[in-house]
mmCIF file of all heavy atoms in Angstrom:
data_model
loop_
_atom_site.group_PDB
_atom_site.id
_atom_site.type_symbol
_atom_site.label_atom_id
_atom_site.label_comp_id
_atom_site.label_asym_id
_atom_site.label_seq_id
_atom_site.Cartn_x
_atom_site.Cartn_y
_atom_site.Cartn_z
ATOM 1 N N ASN A 50 10.969 129.488 150.944
ATOM 2 C CA ASN A 50 10.058 130.596 150.668
ATOM 3 C C ASN A 50 10.883 131.847 150.375
ATOM 4 O O ASN A 50 11.289 132.562 151.286
ATOM 5 C CB ASN A 50 9.122 130.817 151.861
ATOM 6 C CG ASN A 50 8.085 131.885 151.556
ATOM 7 O OD1 ASN A 50 7.832 132.214 150.401
ATOM 8 N ND2 ASN A 50 7.488 132.417 152.606
ATOM 9 N N VAL A 51 11.140 132.096 149.098
ATOM 10 C CA VAL A 51 11.905 133.268 148.682
ATOM 11 C C VAL A 51 10.937 134.272 148.074
ATOM 12 O O VAL A 51 10.254 133.975 147.090
ATOM 13 C CB VAL A 51 12.995 132.888 147.653
ATOM 14 C CG1 VAL A 51 13.800 134.129 147.268
ATOM 15 C CG2 VAL A 51 13.906 131.813 148.217
ATOM 16 N N GLN A 52 10.854 135.443 148.683
ATOM 17 C CA GLN A 52 9.932 136.461 148.196
ATOM 18 C C GLN A 52 10.363 136.959 146.826
ATOM 19 O O GLN A 52 11.547 136.994 146.499
ATOM 20 C CB GLN A 52 9.876 137.629 149.170
ATOM 21 C CG GLN A 52 9.254 137.274 150.517
ATOM 22 C CD GLN A 52 9.157 138.486 151.425
ATOM 23 O OE1 GLN A 52 9.643 139.563 151.087
ATOM 24 N NE2 GLN A 52 8.512 138.320 152.566
ATOM 25 N N GLU A 53 9.379 137.341 146.023
ATOM 26 C CA GLU A 53 9.690 137.854 144.686
ATOM 27 C C GLU A 53 10.467 139.166 144.810
ATOM 28 O O GLU A 53 10.030 140.100 145.487
ATOM 29 C CB GLU A 53 8.396 138.080 143.897
ATOM 30 C CG GLU A 53 8.650 138.590 142.484
ATOM 31 C CD GLU A 53 7.367 138.711 141.689
ATOM 32 O OE1 GLU A 53 6.397 137.981 142.005
ATOM 33 O OE2 GLU A 53 7.328 139.550 140.760
ATOM 34 N N PRO A 54 11.629 139.238 144.176
ATOM 35 C CA PRO A 54 12.461 140.434 144.334
ATOM 36 C C PRO A 54 11.972 141.594 143.476
ATOM 37 O O PRO A 54 11.264 141.400 142.478
ATOM 38 C CB PRO A 54 13.839 139.954 143.846
ATOM 39 C CG PRO A 54 13.527 138.885 142.864
ATOM 40 C CD PRO A 54 12.266 138.214 143.344
ATOM 41 N N GLU A 55 12.359 142.775 143.889
ATOM 42 C CA GLU A 55 12.035 143.962 143.107
ATOM 43 C C GLU A 55 12.931 144.025 141.873
ATOM 44 O O GLU A 55 14.050 143.518 141.861
ATOM 45 C CB GLU A 55 12.228 145.223 143.955
ATOM 46 C CG GLU A 55 11.311 145.303 145.158
ATOM 47 C CD GLU A 55 11.575 146.563 145.981
ATOM 48 O OE1 GLU A 55 12.490 147.329 145.601
ATOM 49 O OE2 GLU A 55 10.873 146.773 146.986
ATOM 50 N N LYS A 56 12.407 144.663 140.843
ATOM 51 C CA LYS A 56 13.188 144.814 139.612
ATOM 52 C C LYS A 56 14.332 145.792 139.843
ATOM 53 O O LYS A 56 14.237 146.708 140.664
ATOM 54 C CB LYS A 56 12.295 145.297 138.470
ATOM 55 C CG LYS A 56 11.167 144.318 138.137
ATOM 56 C CD LYS A 56 10.228 144.891 137.095
ATOM 57 C CE LYS A 56 9.080 143.926 136.827
ATOM 58 N NZ LYS A 56 8.101 144.457 135.843
ATOM 59 N N GLN A 57 15.412 145.574 139.118
ATOM 60 C CA GLN A 57 16.593 146.424 139.249
ATOM 61 C C GLN A 57 17.041 146.839 137.856
ATOM 62 O O GLN A 57 17.091 146.014 136.931
ATOM 63 C CB GLN A 57 17.726 145.661 139.954
ATOM 64 C CG GLN A 57 19.048 146.389 140.029
ATOM 65 C CD GLN A 57 19.056 147.468 141.090
ATOM 66 O OE1 GLN A 57 18.077 147.623 141.826
ATOM 67 N NE2 GLN A 57 20.144 148.210 141.188
ATOM 68 N N ALA A 58 17.353 148.116 137.701
ATOM 69 C CA ALA A 58 17.800 148.617 136.401
ATOM 70 C C ALA A 58 18.877 149.674 136.615
ATOM 71 O O ALA A 58 18.904 150.356 137.642
ATOM 72 C CB ALA A 58 16.631 149.188 135.607
ATOM 73 N N GLY A 59 19.756 149.796 135.658
ATOM 74 C CA GLY A 59 20.804 150.794 135.737
ATOM 75 C C GLY A 59 21.977 150.445 134.845
ATOM 76 O O GLY A 59 21.980 149.420 134.149
ATOM 77 N N TYR A 60 22.987 151.295 134.863
ATOM 78 C CA TYR A 60 24.156 151.113 134.006
ATOM 79 C C TYR A 60 25.298 150.438 134.768
ATOM 80 O O TYR A 60 25.531 150.716 135.945
ATOM 81 C CB TYR A 60 24.633 152.463 133.450
ATOM 82 C CG TYR A 60 23.755 153.007 132.353
ATOM 83 C CD1 TYR A 60 22.698 153.868 132.634
ATOM 84 C CD2 TYR A 60 23.976 152.643 131.025
ATOM 85 C CE1 TYR A 60 21.890 154.373 131.624
ATOM 86 C CE2 TYR A 60 23.172 153.141 130.004
ATOM 87 C CZ TYR A 60 22.139 154.001 130.310
ATOM 88 O OH TYR A 60 21.346 154.495 129.301
ATOM 89 N N MET A 61 25.991 149.544 134.069
ATOM 90 C CA MET A 61 27.223 148.937 134.564
ATOM 91 C C MET A 61 28.211 148.855 133.408
ATOM 92 O O MET A 61 27.841 148.976 132.234
ATOM 93 C CB MET A 61 26.965 147.524 135.123
ATOM 94 C CG MET A 61 26.208 147.480 136.435
ATOM 95 S SD MET A 61 26.207 145.814 137.174
ATOM 96 C CE MET A 61 24.993 144.996 136.143
ATOM 97 N N LEU A 62 29.476 148.626 133.764
ATOM 98 C CA LEU A 62 30.502 148.425 132.737
ATOM 99 C C LEU A 62 30.614 146.935 132.433
ATOM 100 O O LEU A 62 30.671 146.113 133.343
ATOM 101 C CB LEU A 62 31.853 148.963 133.205
ATOM 102 C CG LEU A 62 31.947 150.470 133.457
ATOM 103 C CD1 LEU A 62 33.318 150.832 133.983
ATOM 104 C CD2 LEU A 62 31.669 151.252 132.175
ATOM 105 N N LYS A 63 30.644 146.595 131.158
ATOM 106 C CA LYS A 63 30.778 145.204 130.727
ATOM 107 C C LYS A 63 32.046 145.067 129.891
ATOM 108 O O LYS A 63 32.294 145.870 128.988
ATOM 109 C CB LYS A 63 29.563 144.780 129.909
ATOM 110 C CG LYS A 63 29.649 143.345 129.406
ATOM 111 C CD LYS A 63 28.443 143.007 128.546
ATOM 112 C CE LYS A 63 28.595 141.622 127.948
ATOM 113 N NZ LYS A 63 29.728 141.537 127.023
ATOM 114 N N LYS A 64 32.828 144.027 130.203
ATOM 115 C CA LYS A 64 34.071 143.824 129.464
ATOM 116 C C LYS A 64 33.771 143.375 128.043
ATOM 117 O O LYS A 64 32.908 142.537 127.808
ATOM 118 C CB LYS A 64 34.941 142.777 130.163
ATOM 119 C CG LYS A 64 36.382 142.779 129.695
ATOM 120 C CD LYS A 64 37.249 141.907 130.576
ATOM 121 C CE LYS A 64 38.711 142.037 130.190
ATOM 122 N NZ LYS A 64 39.591 141.201 131.051
ATOM 123 N N ARG A 65 34.503 143.929 127.091
ATOM 124 C CA ARG A 65 34.306 143.573 125.691
ATOM 125 C C ARG A 65 34.719 142.131 125.441
ATOM 126 O O ARG A 65 35.614 141.612 126.100
ATOM 127 C CB ARG A 65 35.126 144.494 124.784
ATOM 128 C CG ARG A 65 34.700 145.949 124.848
ATOM 129 C CD ARG A 65 35.616 146.801 123.991
ATOM 130 N NE ARG A 65 35.294 148.210 124.083
ATOM 131 C CZ ARG A 65 34.438 148.835 123.288
ATOM 132 N NH1 ARG A 65 33.817 148.144 122.353
ATOM 133 N NH2 ARG A 65 34.194 150.117 123.426
ATOM 134 N N LYS A 66 34.096 141.508 124.465
ATOM 135 C CA LYS A 66 34.436 140.140 124.104
ATOM 136 C C LYS A 66 35.803 140.091 123.430
ATOM 137 O O LYS A 66 36.197 141.002 122.718
ATOM 138 C CB LYS A 66 33.370 139.554 123.158
ATOM 139 C CG LYS A 66 32.037 139.276 123.828
ATOM 140 C CD LYS A 66 31.081 138.591 122.867
ATOM 141 C CE LYS A 66 29.766 138.265 123.555
ATOM 142 N NZ LYS A 66 28.821 137.602 122.640
ATOM 143 N N TRP A 67 36.494 138.982 123.690
ATOM 144 C CA TRP A 67 37.802 138.775 123.071
ATOM 145 C C TRP A 67 37.638 138.734 121.548
ATOM 146 O O TRP A 67 36.663 138.195 121.048
ATOM 147 C CB TRP A 67 38.382 137.446 123.569
ATOM 148 C CG TRP A 67 39.790 137.195 123.157
ATOM 149 C CD1 TRP A 67 40.920 137.506 123.848
ATOM 150 C CD2 TRP A 67 40.222 136.554 121.952
ATOM 151 N NE1 TRP A 67 42.027 137.112 123.155
ATOM 152 C CE2 TRP A 67 41.624 136.527 121.981
ATOM 153 C CE3 TRP A 67 39.572 136.018 120.843
ATOM 154 C CZ2 TRP A 67 42.384 135.975 120.951
ATOM 155 C CZ3 TRP A 67 40.307 135.482 119.813
ATOM 156 C CH2 TRP A 67 41.691 135.463 119.874
ATOM 157 N N PRO A 68 38.528 139.307 120.720
ATOM 158 C CA PRO A 68 39.825 139.860 121.098
ATOM 159 C C PRO A 68 39.801 141.345 121.417
ATOM 160 O O PRO A 68 40.852 141.941 121.588
ATOM 161 C CB PRO A 68 40.655 139.594 119.839
ATOM 162 C CG PRO A 68 39.662 139.755 118.731
ATOM 163 C CD PRO A 68 38.373 139.238 119.259
ATOM 164 N N MET A 69 38.608 141.965 121.476
ATOM 165 C CA MET A 69 38.526 143.385 121.788
ATOM 166 C C MET A 69 38.862 143.620 123.258
ATOM 167 O O MET A 69 38.570 142.794 124.106
ATOM 168 C CB MET A 69 37.130 143.893 121.470
ATOM 169 C CG MET A 69 36.725 143.721 120.004
ATOM 170 S SD MET A 69 35.054 144.278 119.670
ATOM 171 C CE MET A 69 35.240 146.038 119.904
ATOM 172 N N LYS A 70 39.492 144.738 123.539
ATOM 173 C CA LYS A 70 39.927 145.038 124.902
ATOM 174 C C LYS A 70 39.098 146.173 125.490
ATOM 175 O O LYS A 70 38.420 146.906 124.784
ATOM 176 C CB LYS A 70 41.416 145.395 124.916
ATOM 177 C CG LYS A 70 42.324 144.262 124.458
ATOM 178 C CD LYS A 70 43.781 144.676 124.516
ATOM 179 C CE LYS A 70 44.686 143.531 124.075
ATOM 180 N NZ LYS A 70 46.116 143.924 124.119
ATOM 181 N N GLY A 71 39.201 146.320 126.811
ATOM 182 C CA GLY A 71 38.540 147.422 127.488
ATOM 183 C C GLY A 71 37.112 147.101 127.910
ATOM 184 O O GLY A 71 36.663 145.964 127.876
#
Side-chain angles (χ1 to χ4, degrees):
N50 185 19
V51 181
Q52 293 183 355
E53 181 176 334
E55 297 179 359
K56 299 175 183 178
Q57 174 77 4
Y60 285 92
M61 289 190 284
L62 296 177
K63 179 183 175 296
K64 196 170 186 179
R65 296 176 183 270
K66 289 185 178 180
W67 188 92
M69 300 178 68
K70 297 181 179 180

